[in-house]
Amino acid sequence: MRWAEVEHRPLPARVRGYTCECLSMVFEDCRAGGQGFIRRYDRSVSPWVIAESPRVKVSAAETLWRQLINGEAR
C-alpha cells in the first residue's frame, strides 16, 4: 500500500472505523468530499508520523479497509 504525507485540505474527514488504540500503529477508515482513504498513525516515534493512502472512490476504500483489517493489504 502506498502512503503519503497528510495533505491539509479544507474538508474535514469523517472517521468511520479505526483499529485498536492499544497498538503503536493505528489506522482510521476515513471519508471526505465523497472519497475514502485510510489514515495511519505511527506512534512508535515521537512526534507521531501520520500518513494517508490515496483518496479513492468509497467502494474502493471499503475494499482497502477490509483488506487491511484482514491482513491482506499490500
Side-chain angles (χ1 to χ4, degrees):
M1 184 181 307
R2 288 184 337 197
W3 297 102
E5 200 172 300
V6 174
E7 295 180 24
H8 296 285
R9 297 180 185 239
L11 293 175
R14 285 182 294 127
V15 176
R16 298 188 31 107
Y18 51 89
T19 58
C20 183
E21 292 281 336
C22 65
L23 302 173
S24 62
M25 192 74 70
V26 177
F27 297 91
E28 293 178 337
D29 179 16
C30 302
R31 302 288 183 277
Q35 295 180 310
F37 60 98
I38 309 298
R39 186 174 291 148
R40 178 185 73 184
Y41 295 85
D42 182 353
R43 303 183 315 174
S44 66
V45 295
S46 182
W48 297 352
V49 176
I50 304 171
E52 293 179 351
S53 70
R55 293 178 182 229
V56 295
K57 291 181 179 181
V58 170
S59 60
E62 289 171 349
T63 299
L64 183 60
W65 178 251
R66 196 169 37 256
Q67 289 172 338
L68 180 84
I69 294 301
N70 292 330
E72 300 167 351
R74 295 177 190 226

